[in-house]
Amino acid sequence: MDELRDLTETLVSVPSHEDETAAGDAIETWLREETDADVARDDAGNVVARVNPGIGESLALVGHHDVVPPADRQTTDGGDYVVETRDGRLYGRGAADMKGAVAASMLAFRDAAADADSEVVFASFVGEEIGGEGVRAALDDGFELDYAVVAEGSTNYSGPNRTDVAVAHRGRRASTLVASGTACHASEPERGENAVYRATDAVDVVRGLSVPDAEVLGHLVSGSIAVTEIDGGSAWNVIPDRCEVTIDERTVPGGFADLALAAEIEGVEWVVEQDLPPMACDDAEFADRVLDAARTVHEARGDEAPEQTTKPHATDAGWLAQAGTTCVVYGPSEPGEAHTRDESVSLDVLARCYETYRALVGEW
């Protein structure tokens, strides 16, 4: 517990919301000093360590070391990150999302990879918070995995005092409907084409769209769609010639809402800004194997039994699954912790995750 807490504190204390270099340096240095693994740092800044490279099917523990910008209370006047430990929790930007999980994965990799018969990988990517830039760069360079446990949050999803195994998660497609019109004086509206009217017609289409569902290993994943911003017009007495509507869509494996229908309105264009893929585990046996390991650890600790579940948020598991990696998500962050001004992680749950990761790696 002391080593896990100290390593988590070390990683959380390194600012990495604008530049992940220093955090990557800390991870790379630790791996080179503490393990006999083949450690590499690619041009994007991702850190990857391998044991038994090329032998059998690979299992990876996957995380990321970038974070979202901190709140004012999470930094000192000099720009350092504030890290505090109290009441069994470690507080600081990135504690939950997801440097605590990275620390637990690093220690499990060190302590158990030597016992594995097949290839075991530890990977920490950059740029997850801005669309998975690190993992996408690695995949473009030929990075391949057979199986992965992505250590994003899955704690207390099915109930309190457990870390569940997420076998699927939703993706996120962010898009904009751009309505164009013709400006004129508002006293003679018939001389122009009102872009706001066209935009609201498009919004009506969005409101009427059905969102798909998907079933993954017996678990339902439901999509959603919502208009989140409308911006149009330049003055109270001018008919607007442009209006933009922002759409947040949560996608499911194999399914999207038919937003192209909104672009069938005259003068409306649909532009996709970001498309983060969903994840669906394609191997029930692997998902059960992870759940069995987690249940054994929970039982030994006197914790509630975990379940297989789904996760509402997109992670790097979506990119890996899209490239052919069989993934599940299993990690310490609880709902409502990531990206908050009081972000924290339970040290006891970190230890639970470490023990599960170690068991999985040692039996691989």
Side-chain angles (χ1 to χ4, degrees):
M1 278 289 291
D2 289 345
E3 188 176 21
L4 178 55
R5 180 201 60 219
D6 292 347
L7 182 57
T8 300
E9 183 173 337
T10 296
L11 295 182
V12 173
S13 69
V14 181
S16 57
H17 63 283
E18 293 179 334
D19 184 347
E20 301 101 318
T21 303
D25 289 344
I27 293 169
E28 180 185 6
T29 298
W30 188 94
L31 289 167
R32 293 189 185 280
E33 292 178 350
E34 295 287 334
T35 77
D36 294 325
D38 295 335
V39 182
R41 187 88 164 271
D42 65 17
D43 292 340
N46 303 312
V47 183
V48 178
R50 298 178 183 270
V51 170
N52 301 327
I55 299 176
E57 293 182 311
S58 58
L59 170 69
L61 302 177
V62 175
H64 65 84
H65 51 276
D66 65 313
V67 300
V68 298
D72 289 343
R73 66 184 298 169
Q74 293 172 319
T75 61
T76 66
D77 291 340
D80 294 331
Y81 282 8
V82 175
V83 185
E84 299 176 320
T85 301
R86 61 180 185 274
D87 301 324
R89 301 185 71 89
L90 189 145
Y91 290 78
R93 172 57 81 225
D97 188 16
M98 58 172 301
K99 289 179 177 176
V102 170
S105 298
M106 290 164 65
L107 286 167
F109 178 81
R110 181 199 67 184
D111 294 345
D115 296 327
D117 296 324
S118 297
E119 181 174 11
V120 176
V121 180
F122 165 84
S124 188
F125 295 113
V126 301
E128 191 273 348
E129 301 290 1
I130 52 175
E133 289 188 353
V135 68
R136 292 162 65 189
L139 292 169
D140 287 344
D141 287 341
F143 182 75
E144 293 182 349
L145 295 171
D146 294 310
Y147 296 91
V149 177
V150 177
E152 292 275 12
S154 65
T155 295
N156 297 348
Y157 274 50
S158 69
N161 197 29
R162 70 201 72 188
T163 300
D164 295 305
V165 178
V167 298
H169 69 56
R170 300 196 295 179
R172 177 178 184 265
R173 187 165 66 172
S175 57
T176 304
L177 295 170
V178 181
S180 300
T182 303
C184 69
H185 198 284
S187 66
E188 299 179 290
E190 68 278 0
R191 291 183 175 274
E193 292 289 346
N194 196 315
V196 169
Y197 290 170
R198 287 177 167 175
T200 54
D201 287 344
V203 169
D204 284 341
V205 173
V206 173
R207 293 180 68 182
L209 292 177
S210 60
V211 292
D213 295 328
E215 187 174 297
V216 179
L217 303 183
H219 300 275
L220 182 66
V221 188
S222 297
S224 66
I225 189 168
V227 171
T228 55
E229 291 180 289
I230 297 180
D231 183 19
S234 58
W236 66 268
N237 59 351
V238 177
I239 296 299
D241 63 358
R242 183 179 177 86
C243 183
E244 295 188 1
V245 178
T246 302
I247 310 292
D248 181 288
E249 180 187 1
R250 302 298 162 146
T251 61
V252 302
F256 297 86
D258 193 2
L259 272 168
L261 292 174
E264 293 181 359
I265 294 173
E266 183 180 357
V268 175
E269 178 188 11
W270 175 44
V271 180
V272 177
E273 309 287 350
Q274 184 186 69
D275 191 358
L276 307 181
M279 181 275 288
C281 181
D282 59 359
D283 188 329
E285 183 177 345
F286 176 66
D288 289 342
R289 183 171 179 176
V290 178
L291 182 61
D292 288 344
R295 283 180 168 172
T296 298
V297 169
H298 281 67
E299 181 180 357
R301 296 170 57 86
D303 297 331
E304 298 294 329
E307 303 291 339
Q308 289 181 359
T309 186
T310 64
K311 182 177 173 66
H313 315 110
T315 76
D316 279 344
W319 297 108
L320 292 170
Q322 184 173 265
T325 302
T326 295
C327 296
V328 297
V329 173
Y330 181 88
S333 182
E334 304 145 310
E337 279 298 332
H339 302 187
T340 62
R341 63 196 298 266
D342 294 312
E343 181 178 350
S344 68
V345 67
S346 163
L347 294 172
D348 187 60
V349 174
L350 275 184
R352 174 201 291 160
C353 290
Y354 158 76
E355 291 170 13
T356 304
Y357 301 150
R358 184 185 62 189
L360 287 167
V361 169
E363 296 171 357
W364 194 251

